[in-house]
């Protein structure tokens, strides 16, 4: 083989290797891009997983809360369960549960917790439509303090206890547990759902107590009638 | 290493809501056996009553006997001292955490609990 043909052969081989190398580089680039996409998808899946875990957690909390709230018709017991839920599930340290008196249009605290950390919440009362709490009840809309100082009249959060459009009371939160720095986005949703369940449970318990009282009165009246007729 | 799915848990809580919520989270472990106690004394009765327990989850503030006293008593009992204990409480301050861990608890979780965090902590403790 002459030197010239050897050089041509070498050049041909060189060109082929060059093409092959370029193809490899392109393939490498494609794979890098694919890897990037997979990594992004992985991050999306991971974020979605965390989100689903959080939703799952909230659903579990809501299930347990509604199960417990509707497990009794005793008014005091229902109120105690609402207190437990606010402390353990919502993470509220100081809060007050106010119920609306339909005759006087006044909201009065029927139970509270953490009054040592926020004095005055045990005797809290306000008229419908007055102040933050009264407005929450009259408008049936939740209130969350975005800035400013918390005071008896301006709680951290106030959520109406409503059955459809009828407001029966308000839950006012004044202080969160030390480990809970602020409400998260899902807390707002959970808190409103819990308030709705609490409202029906409180309302049912009140109705039951009223019917029990009426039944006792009727029974006493019947007993009296029976005694007088004999 | 034990199979966490077959673990036996003792939940010590005076709040029925929290007992149910923790039980609900533990359902992640398929064959887990869950025993409930309403306070520290009730827990001690159950621990010494024959049921083998693999892990204790206890609240702190409870009537009759609180969670810290329970942790201390378990750690001083020759046959119970090696059971891992997780404190689940509303007392989230650093000094409370340190006190609980100093008494012998293996982990300290502040309420409100995140199910995923609880499961991870249990899995780590029982995988040892």
């Amino acid at each position: 083989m002459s030197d010239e043909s050897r050089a041509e052969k070498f050049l041909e081989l060189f060109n082929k290797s060059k093409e092959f190398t370029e193809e490899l580089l392109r393939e490498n680039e494609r794979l890098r891009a694919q890897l990037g996409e997979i990594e992004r998808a992985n991050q999306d899946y991971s974020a979605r997983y965390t989100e689903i875990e959080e939703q799952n957690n909230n659903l579990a909390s809501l299930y347990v809360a509604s199960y417990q709230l509707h497990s009794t018709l005793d008014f005091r017991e229902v109120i105690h369960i609402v207190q437990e839920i606010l402390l353990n599930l919502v993470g509220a340290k100081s809060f007050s549960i106010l119920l609306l008196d339909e005759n006087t249009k006044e909201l009065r605290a029927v139970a509270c917790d953490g009054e040592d950390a926020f004095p005055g919440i045990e005797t809290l009362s306000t008229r419908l439509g007055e102040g933050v709490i009264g407005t929450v009840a009259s408008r049936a809309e939740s209130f969350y303090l975005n800035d400013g100082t918390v005071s008896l009249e301006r709680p951290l959060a106030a959520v109406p206890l409503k059955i459809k459009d009828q407001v029966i009371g308000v839950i006012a939160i004044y202080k969160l547990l030390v480990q809970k720095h602020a409400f998260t986005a899902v807390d707002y949703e959970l808190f409103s759902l819990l308030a709705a369940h609490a409202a029906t449970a409180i309302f049912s318990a009140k109705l039951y107590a009223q019917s029990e009282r009426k039944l006792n009165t009727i029974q006493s009246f019947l007993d009296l009638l029976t005694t007088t007729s004999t | 290493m034990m199979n966490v799915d077959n673990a036996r848990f003792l939940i010590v809580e005076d709040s029925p809501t929290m007992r149910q919520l923790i039980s609900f989270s533990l359902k992640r472990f398929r064959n887990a056996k869950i025993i409930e106690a309403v306070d520290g004394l009730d827990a001690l009765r159950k621990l010494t009553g024959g049921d083998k327990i693999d892990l204790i989850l206890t609240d702190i503030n409870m009537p009759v006997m609180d969670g810290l006293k329970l942790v201390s008593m378990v750690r001083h009992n020759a046959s119970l001292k090696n059971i891992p204990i997780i404190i689940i409480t509303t007392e989230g301050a650093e000094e409370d955490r340190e006190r609980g861990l100093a008494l012998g608890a293996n982990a300290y979780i502040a309420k409100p609990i995140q199910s995923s965090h609880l499961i991870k902590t249990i899995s780590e403790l029982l995988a040892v």
Side-chain angles (χ1 to χ4, degrees):
Chain A
M1 192 184 280
S2 68
D3 283 350
E4 201 177 327
S5 62
R6 254 208 307 266
E8 269 174 20
K9 195 90 180 158
F10 177 75
L11 192 62
E12 192 187 324
L13 206 66
F14 176 79
N15 281 336
K16 271 188 182 167
S17 328
K18 190 183 161 214
E19 272 170 32
F20 183 65
T21 310
E22 279 171 356
E23 182 55 40
L24 277 179
L25 282 171
R26 279 195 294 275
E27 182 64 22
N28 188 295
E29 211 43 50
R30 271 199 300 275
L31 286 172
R32 268 174 194 275
Q34 267 180 15
L35 189 69
E37 272 170 36
I38 291 167
E39 270 174 5
R40 272 192 297 279
N42 256 350
Q43 279 168 0
D44 286 349
Y45 282 131
S46 171
R48 187 89 189 105
Y49 181 78
T50 311
E51 207 178 294
I52 289 168
E53 277 276 345
E54 213 167 82
Q55 290 286 358
N56 197 20
N57 201 57
N58 288 331
L59 280 175
S61 298
L62 189 64
Y63 166 79
V64 169
S66 60
Y67 183 95
Q68 291 293 332
L69 281 168
H70 299 290
S71 65
T72 177
L73 281 169
D74 183 280
F75 179 73
R76 287 319 314 175
E77 225 174 298
V78 170
I79 294 292
H80 181 71
I81 293 168
V82 175
Q83 286 177 279
E84 267 193 7
I85 289 167
L86 288 170
L87 176 69
N88 294 305
L89 271 58
V90 177
K93 183 173 175 63
S94 301
F95 57 85
S96 190
I97 303 162
L98 300 103
L99 290 188
L100 177 67
D101 185 326
E102 280 294 340
N103 299 319
T104 62
K105 299 290 175 203
E106 197 174 5
L107 288 147
R108 274 180 189 282
V110 291
C112 68
D113 220 334
E115 58 270 37
D116 46 336
F118 212 97
I121 55 172
E122 64 278 20
T123 52
L124 201 62
S125 75
T126 186
R127 287 196 60 79
L128 188 67
E130 279 178 13
V132 170
I133 296 173
T135 309
V136 164
S138 62
R139 290 191 187 161
E141 280 172 13
S142 300
F143 165 86
Y144 290 97
L145 186 70
N146 294 320
D147 47 27
T149 322
V150 179
S151 66
L152 266 185
E153 294 75 31
R154 251 174 101 77
L156 201 57
V159 177
L161 291 166
K162 59 177 178 180
I163 302 160
K164 289 203 172 169
D165 293 328
Q166 190 197 347
V167 174
I168 64 153
V170 172
I171 291 174
I173 295 182
Y174 288 89
K175 204 172 178 191
L176 297 175
L177 291 171
V178 66
Q179 63 270 24
K180 185 153 178 132
H181 308 295
F183 287 116
T184 59
V186 282
D187 279 335
Y188 300 125
E189 217 174 310
L190 182 69
F191 195 13
S192 299
L193 287 167
L194 287 174
H197 279 279
T200 50
I202 291 170
F203 190 68
S204 308
K206 273 181 90 174
L207 279 184
Y208 183 74
Q210 278 169 11
S211 65
E212 279 279 284
R213 274 198 301 274
K214 277 181 188 164
L215 185 70
N216 284 339
T217 313
I218 294 166
Q219 189 61 54
S220 306
F221 186 64
L222 283 175
D223 289 346
L224 189 71
L225 279 178
T226 324
T227 320
T228 15
S229 61
T230 54
Chain B
M1 193 192 293
M2 80 165 297
N3 181 356
V4 189
D5 277 336
N6 298 325
R8 283 151 299 205
F9 299 98
L10 175 64
I11 302 171
V12 193
E13 248 292 354
D14 58 327
S15 154
T17 310
M18 274 312 291
R19 282 203 303 273
Q20 196 184 11
L21 188 67
I22 297 169
S23 294
F24 205 84
S25 297
L26 296 181
K27 289 212 163 80
R28 184 78 65 91
F29 305 116
R30 275 181 217 164
N31 303 315
K33 188 177 176 197
I34 297 159
I35 296 160
E36 295 182 4
V38 294
D39 57 56
L41 191 64
D42 188 22
L44 274 181
R45 272 194 218 112
K46 281 169 181 162
L47 280 164
T48 51
D51 272 321
K52 191 186 170 294
I53 300 294
D54 297 307
L55 191 139
I56 301 168
L57 302 117
T58 182
D59 184 17
I60 290 184
N61 299 320
M62 290 179 291
V64 188
M65 184 196 283
D66 68 34
L68 293 178
K69 178 87 178 153
L70 171 70
V71 173
S72 173
M73 291 191 79
V74 168
R75 288 294 175 253
H76 286 96
N77 183 305
S79 58
L80 305 174
K81 66 178 181 185
N82 293 323
I83 302 175
I85 302 174
I86 300 177
I87 290 178
I88 300 175
T89 177
T90 52
E91 310 298 328
E94 196 46 43
E95 58 267 28
D96 294 316
R97 175 185 295 270
E98 281 167 12
R99 193 155 49 115
L101 296 175
L103 276 171
N106 301 74
Y108 194 98
I109 295 176
K111 294 176 190 171
I113 57 163
Q114 285 295 316
S115 187
S116 51
H117 181 213
L118 178 65
I119 297 302
K120 190 169 170 270
T121 309
I122 292 172
S123 304
E124 282 169 1
L125 283 174
L126 292 181
V128 179

